[in-house]
Amino acid sequence: MTSPENLKISVIVPVYNPGPFIDDLISSLLRQTMAADEFEAIFVDDGSTDGTGARLDEVAAEHANIQVIHIPNSGWPSRPRNIGIEKARGEYVQFADNDDWFGDEALHRLYAYAKENDADVVIGKMTGVNRGVPRELFRKNHPDATYANSPLIDSLTPHKMYRRSFLLEHNLRFPEGKRRLEDHVFVTAANFAAKRISVLSDYTCYYHVGRPDASNAGFQRFEPAGYFGNLCEALDIVDAHTEPGALRDKIHRRWLRVEIVGRLTGKRFLTAPEDWNTDFFREARKVATERFAPGVAAGLPAMQRATAALLVQDRLESVRELAAWDAGLKAQATAEAEGSPLRITATGELHTPAGPLTYVHTDAGVDAIRTPVADLDPALLDVTKRLKSARMDIVARRRGSAEECFLPVETVTERVELPDGGFRTVHRSVAVVTPDALNSGRNAGTWDL
């Protein structure tokens, strides 16, 4: 076992039947550029039955900075994480899931950034592998991120680094038991308690993996009443630390956008059993009407705003109709590259199955999206301001690793008038790529746009 004197970070990993998916995490920990005697990895095996416990014991026998704790199955990751907090000896603790992995320099960079900014919480850049992650939060470094000055609320997963004394001082632990959104409750409470939160965006620290068979716990169908009861626990924390108004609306909006509207627009909603959809819609409507002020939905993008309005109006069939149409929306883009340094010009627009997405200029003087849903207030689909500030990002992704970075772009939006009085929009973004500067100079390999 590693001596505690030099321990900077304790990596805490709840483990349950990951099979071969845990190998990438183990390998990434063994590749860390931080010296092995400066960090420890604590795997808390939650009663695995697939041989993972023995596999981890073998790894721990070979590496002094890796330890394994075996516990009876608790049914959810909260108890293993809490045990990890109690057993950790590092100055900071970093949470990871057993099917994700770290960038090779992650621990070294996270700790250095924490010390540079005297941060209680450090959020390292995440990249999604077969799943989405909050990209906008990682557009730039935020040494002192708050709910007011950054998209901090976009990241509610626990894969962050926390000063251990901070967790102990505020008695911050994960709610235990087989339940949902335990990470939302923990992260929200920690964010309000922290004196400083720093977001490290210039290096991909954490690769968040969606398994090919979609067997991650977060992808499974849930019981709606219990789910929204757990969601309201996080809302209670927000309400206890904020006053009614713009900031609370901004924070609440994340839950309306992702946990409610986002689940009323995807394939999972369209293909879910009828009875489950009815239950989900009922429970979601209850939260939307009882917990969210009007300003919450008002700040959503147009399509999400329309779905939220139909939810409040109790129009399940219209929500289904809009979701089916929205599912057919796709971005289509082409790109040309020339010169040295490389100048990339990308042109793109949104398409429906019937052709380009079109808009209409209403009698009220606003530009609105055209949809097939009848009796939908055009004001809900107002995109006037959004179109004026629209941009198309160009993202470079390293082939084979999923590491990615934004390229600086300039975007021009062209309005194409149509014979029926409507119009469509075509976006043209230009990026000049200096190879030595790509990804802050860490540019080896082949990059896809």
Side-chain angles (χ1 to χ4, degrees), residues 192-303:
F192 278 111
K195 293 180 180 177
R196 173 165 290 191
I197 303 170
S198 298
V199 180
L200 175 64
S201 300
D202 58 6
Y203 181 81
T204 302
C205 296
Y206 194 84
Y207 293 86
H208 199 16
V209 180
R211 296 186 188 179
D213 60 359
S215 60
N216 305 68
F219 290 168
Q220 305 309 303
R221 192 168 295 137
F222 49 80
E223 190 273 312
Y227 181 84
F228 284 110
N230 296 154
L231 186 151
C232 287
E233 293 176 41
L235 297 181
D236 290 341
I237 296 172
V238 176
D239 292 355
H241 289 85
T242 61
E243 297 294 330
L247 180 60
R248 179 184 289 183
D249 288 351
K250 176 184 177 181
I251 301 172
H252 278 185
R253 191 172 297 127
R254 187 270 172 204
W255 281 283
L256 177 60
R257 174 172 55 85
V258 178
E259 308 304 332
I260 295 181
V261 173
R263 294 180 182 277
L264 292 171
T265 56
K267 289 183 178 180
R268 281 183 292 176
F269 175 71
L270 293 171
T271 59
E274 178 75 19
D275 57 347
W276 186 89
N277 269 351
T278 301
D279 289 345
F280 179 87
F281 190 87
R282 181 186 63 251
E283 297 297 333
R285 184 172 181 269
K286 182 178 179 181
V287 173
T289 54
E290 294 180 359
R291 296 302 302 263
F292 297 138
V296 179
L300 291 171
M303 291 295 296

Side-chain angles (χ1 to χ4, degrees), residues 99-111:
D99 37 21
D100 300 333
W101 75 83
F102 291 99
D104 293 357
E105 302 173 26
L107 299 186
H108 171 78
R109 287 177 176 271
L110 286 166
Y111 183 79

Side-chain angles (χ1 to χ4, degrees), residues 361-398:
H361 192 71
T362 70
D363 294 338
V366 302
D367 296 330
I369 298 174
R370 282 176 167 170
T371 76
V373 180
D375 302 323
L376 193 56
D377 183 356
L380 294 169
L381 298 167
D382 178 4
V383 290
T384 309
K385 292 182 179 179
R386 296 266 178 169
L387 287 180
K388 290 179 180 177
S389 61
R391 71 164 179 264
M392 179 172 61
D393 283 314
I394 302 177
V395 178
R397 174 170 282 209
R398 193 197 305 267

Side-chain angles (χ1 to χ4, degrees), residues 6-27:
N6 298 323
L7 278 178
K8 297 175 178 177
I9 300 176
S10 297
V11 179
I12 298 172
V13 187
V15 178
Y16 180 70
N17 286 356
F21 292 103
I22 200 171
D23 291 342
D24 286 333
L25 174 61
I26 295 171
S27 297

Side-chain angles (χ1 to χ4, degrees), residues 72-113:
N73 181 251
S74 67
W76 216 245
S78 290
R79 179 158 178 72
R81 288 180 184 137
N82 289 340
I83 290 174
I85 293 171
E86 299 302 327
K87 297 294 185 181
R89 299 170 299 155
E91 181 181 357
Y92 285 84
V93 298
Q94 166 73 48
F95 296 103
D97 282 348
N98 59 199
D99 37 21
D100 300 333
W101 75 83
F102 291 99
D104 293 357
E105 302 173 26
L107 299 186
H108 171 78
R109 287 177 176 271
L110 286 166
Y111 183 79
Y113 200 62

